[in-house]
Amino acid sequence: MSSQADDINWAVNEFADADLGDVRRTKRLVELAHVLAQHPTAALPEACGDGAMLKAAYRFFSNDDIDPQDVLSSHIESTYSRLDKVPLVLAVQDTTEVDWTGHPATTGLGPLGHTACQGLHVHSTLAFTPERVPLGLLAQHVWARDPDDVGKRKRRKQLPMSQKESQKWLTSLEAVFNARDCCAPTRFVSVGDREADVFDLLAAERPAGVELLVRAAWDRCVEVPERYVWATVAAQPVVEHLTLQVPRRGTQPGREATLALRFCPLTLCPPRHRTSAGLPSVALWAVQVREIDPPMDVKPIEWLLLTTVEVRTAADAIERVTWYVCRWGIEVWHRILKSGCRIEARQLATGERLQRCLTLYSVIAWRVFYAIMLARAVPEMPCNVLLEIEEWQALYCAIHHCPTPPEEPPSLDQAVRWIAQLGGFVGRRRRDQPGAETLWRGFQHLTDLTRMYRIMRSAPP
């Protein structure tokens, strides 16, 4: 990742190769990404700053000739350049709902979990290092549910896989195959939560270098005397006790959990109701962690993970659990997209326009998240892996109240803490880490500081 240390604008790096059918559209995309990232929480009129840019933004999002996937493809290519430099990538896939119920006049949306709510479903695949640094998106699929399908769950079981929403897991896996083709030295593990426990995904043919790690949801039949997955794993001895830092969720504070660890090989039998499909048995490994003595008012942690990666030792099992913990990162990214970039507050009249806007803000949200986690993973790196030269110089001068910056850039950790400080981060203790909210506020202030710094540097003495 150190080779990313250059002064090129991040928006150029992520979007300049977008093939939108006209070079002027690509230029506009780069300009929009640069402008909107400066004020991610602001409404479009405020973020654009002037009438001409605002008009250009509305024209871009309204252009039916621009496919959101073409916008995303350029970022994915840039993501490949980052993946090619790491030996192992965790391709975490997950679905979220983007709720525009508050804008009832918007067309092209569909029902969400409750029929009174309308919006879009978004299934994304985000690439992480095992150190939890997000390297970029590998895929994003957006759709609106058909209102006529509400209440027809039983009928969906009779549909072929290609016509179910469950197809999204296989589509994400295909995106991982493409990434593997472009990043041959890198090994990939596709990671999914309980919703990803789909037999077709577990049984899918995979090229070398692509593996699966899925949290089990179904107590499937297995080819052992215990007959079922949970009973088989429960019969195994506890091989280790782990300590896990559980982040805050809603009103529940963060806590430290002690987990009992078990593992064993399994061979899953195909579902009985699909015997005519000729599905094969699937050999894999199961790893279970179960919380010991959880707090009274908290649901205890219990994960049963299914993986195609060998688990021969306790160290192997611990590593698989560590990989799954990285899945929390995509939930943090969802929060940045919704709260930090306020995607659900955008008003563009149609679902098609909102999809283009969503794609652009998805990459902006990734950039904020990337800054947070990169600083934690490699704090000693120079900050010009993330910031342009005038950005870190303006930041240094503002924090230190001095007119002249140093010749060498400060460390990434120090620069990120300074940016968070602009956004209200106090950090009384050194071990305190800035969060997403203070960092995205800080980035907005940094943009204003950099603009003024450029003006003052160019002014005659």
Side-chain angles (χ1 to χ4, degrees), residues 212-425:
L212 298 174
L213 177 65
V214 172
R215 185 180 172 191
W218 304 101
D219 198 8
R220 301 185 185 277
C221 294
V222 293
E223 297 176 356
V224 292
E226 288 82 5
R227 295 188 60 192
Y228 295 98
V229 169
W230 258 266
T232 303
V233 178
Q236 309 304 313
V238 174
V239 297
E240 189 68 81
H241 289 90
L242 309 179
T243 300
L244 179 68
Q245 296 297 327
V246 182
R248 175 180 61 86
R249 299 198 69 174
T251 59
Q252 293 183 356
R255 72 181 195 280
E256 187 176 272
T258 301
L259 310 175
L261 176 70
R262 296 177 172 87
F263 70 89
C264 65
L266 289 175
T267 300
L268 301 182
C269 301
R272 294 173 182 171
H273 69 281
R274 299 181 62 189
T275 53
S276 60
L279 295 171
S281 298
V282 178
L284 37 69
W285 283 260
V287 178
Q288 184 195 57
V289 286
R290 177 177 291 176
E291 187 170 1
I292 300 172
D293 297 327
M296 291 293 294
D297 57 342
V298 171
K299 183 179 180 180
I301 293 175
E302 182 180 348
W303 301 337
L304 200 157
L305 309 177
L306 303 175
T307 180
T308 58
V309 187
E310 284 191 352
V311 183
R312 299 294 186 185
T313 65
D316 290 342
I318 293 171
E319 183 179 55
R320 308 302 173 263
V321 174
T322 303
W323 291 351
Y324 185 74
V325 170
C326 291
R327 203 202 68 80
W328 280 335
I330 200 168
E331 296 182 6
V332 175
W333 174 73
H334 285 154
R335 185 165 63 86
I336 295 173
L337 178 61
K338 294 179 182 181
S339 299
C341 297
R342 300 185 63 207
I343 190 62
E344 293 174 325
R346 307 298 166 186
Q347 301 182 56
L348 292 171
T350 73
E352 292 77 13
R353 297 173 186 175
L354 288 170
Q355 284 192 43
R356 297 182 191 98
C357 184
L358 170 68
T359 302
L360 182 52
Y361 273 105
S362 293
V363 181
I364 292 172
W366 159 77
R367 183 182 182 239
V368 175
F369 193 21
Y370 180 60
I372 297 171
M373 301 309 297
L374 189 63
R376 295 181 185 180
V378 283
E380 73 286 350
M381 290 182 69
C383 67
N384 57 5
V385 299
L386 180 69
L387 303 176
E388 298 177 33
I389 184 170
E390 290 180 326
E391 286 179 323
W392 70 256
Q393 289 178 343
L395 176 64
Y396 183 94
C397 293
I399 292 296
H400 293 86
H401 303 283
C402 67
T404 306
E407 293 185 3
E408 296 297 324
S411 70
L412 181 60
D413 176 64
Q414 186 63 77
V416 167
R417 295 178 76 87
W418 288 340
I419 294 171
Q421 184 178 328
L422 295 177
F425 175 68

Side-chain angles (χ1 to χ4, degrees), residues 3 34 84 97 107 141 368 373 400:
S3 65
H34 178 70
D84 205 31
E97 296 176 347
T107 62
H141 176 49
V368 175
M373 301 309 297
H400 293 86

Side-chain angles (χ1 to χ4, degrees), residues 69 72 121-125 139-143 165 168 171 355:
Q69 290 301 315
L72 188 64
H121 288 78
V122 183
H123 188 80
S124 306
T125 305
Q140 187 174 75
H141 176 49
V142 183
W143 73 97
E165 284 190 3
K168 63 190 180 185
T171 301
Q355 284 192 43

